[in-house]
Amino acid sequence: MSSPSSSPSPSPSSSPSRISRRSFAGAAALAAVASPLLAACSGSSGSGGSADTSVLTVGFPEDSENYDPHQPPYTVSRAVARQIADTLVDQDPESGEIVPWLAESWDVNKDSSQFTFHLRDGVTFSDGTAFTAASVKKNFDRVVDLGALAYIGASHLRGYRKTEVVDERTAKVSFDGPNAQFLQAASTQTLSMLADATLELDPKEVAAGKVIGSGAFTLEDYTPGESITLARRDDYAWGSSVYSNQKAAAYESIKISFIPDPTTLAGAVSSGQVDFAFLLDTSTLPAVEGGQLQVSKNPTRGISFPLIPFVYREIFEDEGVRRALNPATDRAEIAERIYQGQVKPATGLLTASTPGAADLSEFLEHDPEAAEKLLEDAGWKTVGKDGIRTNDDGDRLSVSIQYTSGNTVYEQLFQLLQAQWKKVGIEFELKPVTEAQASETGLYDAKYDLSTWTQGRADPDVLRVVYSSFYENQSFFYGHPVDEIDDALLALQSTTDPDERAAASEKAQRLLLEGGYSVPLVDAISVSAASKKIRKIALDAENKPAFADLAPAD
């Protein structure tokens, strides 16, 4: 994206399945436009009979304001990118296997430092230009050249040396050392293939929706804060090998409306004002379940929804304080009270459904006595009349979090944590601010102590991006490296052996939890709902909709 997020918090949602870096500020700003959006979509022809394939109406919870597939990690951006730009390979959502897409096959050398892709013939971008090995080179070169604007893609291409155009249908991608995660990374939208006409544009123009890809749809119209319209490519004939439909989509047009209020979004799909709703809050499940709709509740893959201490803040230079937060936290109560029992307590830094996840529940048990001992051993021994601890210098044991006011679920979550942590003597100060105030600080200069942060990916290497010190705008330890953790995370790149990668993943997670560097709370679910006029809800490996694979019910 064009600049660091104004806040390192994810987008507002009652479900932490929203894998995004958007500020909490988004909720208040977007809520104002909910009513006109519903008015715009309520008369859509997609609400007609089951045989109507003219328009599929869709509700998204927010506008990411950046639709360059190479730039942002926002979930809604990646969901749109999935429709308009294809990737070299895909990932089977059931098995996790990497399967052909724009590349028919590939060869990997012994140490996973070189990948040779053999490309499909006949693929074109929506402007009619051919997809070739030169396209692969230009796209990967652009991601690297974008640098911090494409920090997720740059992390996937860590150690990138070059892409060699062997011939028109053969591209050889080389790294300066092992890059075991690259093949899976090549299935993600951050490494989508774009046409030369797009690659030549200023990144700001691409972010504004001037995107030409090889996908089943084209981005026809974008009205910021209101809607996106996608149009079917009638000549499309190279869908992902995991799709049941690999030709042109059934629906001529996809009309995506941004409906930021969770209740309104659920009401829109329940009433038939939209045909498909993506990223529903868990709090709205009672409104969409019960037989009138088909509902998908899939476990997310990636980082478990956490609170992450800023290690540069003075209070968290104290390891005892960091380590006390996990045993002070009752995750079962959070899952039940805040998420109505729809999600499960976290058992590690990765969600249980993510490849490479490790059950590290031993670090996440609710144990107030253990938390109190850690604090006392760290010098926080005196408990005042208000229940808050102080040290010998009279400093209060106080930690703070900033968020944009207006998101009820987050406020309820933080208030519950506030009560839980107070029981062991920790004051949790909540700092609601305006959107403008939230934009004044970022990931590395915050005036508060904790942040939320999630990132979705069906590979354990997602840990390297968030918890290493390598990537500006993304890594929590950037500028404050913890060498042992960096070394463990780099090991995820060095081998393709599943057992060795699992061991490296567990070691890294164990080090992070032992040091109190993260407080994972719950494993989220990704919730979508659709009219039964649609044959099925089709999702990719990261639970994003595959509109090319949707069709009317028989």
Side-chain angles (χ1 to χ4, degrees), residues 38-180:
L38 274 180
C41 69
S42 61
S44 165
S45 60
S47 299
S50 61
D52 186 355
T53 59
S54 57
V55 181
L56 180 75
T57 54
V58 178
F60 276 12
E62 64 177 343
D63 179 5
S64 75
E65 301 173 3
N66 189 328
Y67 291 94
D68 181 346
H70 292 165
Q71 289 190 49
Y74 310 144
T75 305
V76 294
S77 302
R78 297 205 309 269
V80 171
R82 171 57 80 185
Q83 321 310 321
I84 62 178
D86 301 329
T87 50
L88 288 174
V89 295
D90 200 4
Q91 188 169 18
D92 189 304
E94 299 298 328
S95 68
E97 179 186 1
I98 304 302
V99 298
W101 197 343
L102 296 184
E104 289 183 319
S105 62
W106 51 89
D107 304 308
V108 183
N109 70 347
K110 188 174 181 180
D111 70 348
S112 298
S113 64
Q114 193 173 85
F115 300 76
T116 302
F117 294 96
H118 307 284
L119 308 180
R120 295 180 68 150
D121 193 13
V123 175
T124 62
F125 294 104
S126 60
D127 63 356
T129 57
F131 167 71
T132 67
S135 306
V136 178
K137 173 178 173 56
K138 291 175 183 178
N139 274 272
F140 288 168
D141 287 353
R142 178 189 189 243
V143 170
V144 173
D145 290 343
L146 284 174
L149 290 179
Y151 48 85
I152 296 293
S155 74
H156 293 340
L157 294 175
R158 179 181 175 84
Y160 178 77
R161 290 182 58 208
K162 64 179 180 178
T163 297
E164 178 185 352
V165 179
V166 178
D167 58 44
E168 191 175 49
R169 293 281 169 262
T170 310
K172 184 182 295 183
V173 184
S174 299
F175 297 89
D176 61 13
N179 195 341

Side-chain angles (χ1 to χ4, degrees), residues 203-318:
K204 292 182 180 178
E205 294 182 86
V206 185
K210 294 184 178 181
V211 185
I212 299 171
S214 65
F217 292 91
T218 60
L219 201 164
E220 289 297 294
D221 182 70
Y222 168 44
T223 303
E226 293 187 13
S227 65
I228 284 179
T229 300
L230 306 178
R232 180 179 68 192
R233 285 189 65 183
D234 292 335
D235 62 344
Y236 188 77
W238 46 85
S240 165
S241 58
V242 302
Y243 289 1
S244 57
N245 171 44
Q246 296 170 17
K247 298 185 181 298
Y251 292 98
E252 298 173 21
S253 178
I254 309 292
K255 176 63 179 293
I256 300 170
S257 296
F258 303 121
I259 308 174
D261 179 73
T263 301
T264 306
L265 178 57
V269 70
S270 297
S271 64
Q273 292 176 305
V274 298
D275 304 314
F276 188 109
F278 174 58
L279 287 182
L280 289 164
D281 284 348
T282 54
S283 63
T284 65
L285 274 170
V288 298
E289 290 185 311
Q292 299 304 309
L293 298 168
Q294 49 184 322
V295 179
S296 169
K297 298 189 293 184
N298 288 348
T300 60
R301 298 179 177 96
I303 300 291
S304 294
F305 180 61
L307 294 182
I308 305 179
F310 290 129
V311 293
Y312 58 80
R313 297 289 292 173
E314 183 178 0
I315 189 65
F316 286 129
E317 292 176 359
D318 188 331

Side-chain angles (χ1 to χ4, degrees), residues 526-541:
S526 179
V527 181
S528 295
S531 165
K532 289 188 176 180
K533 293 181 296 184
I534 297 171
R535 185 178 303 162
K536 66 175 181 178
I537 295 176
L539 304 172
D540 71 4

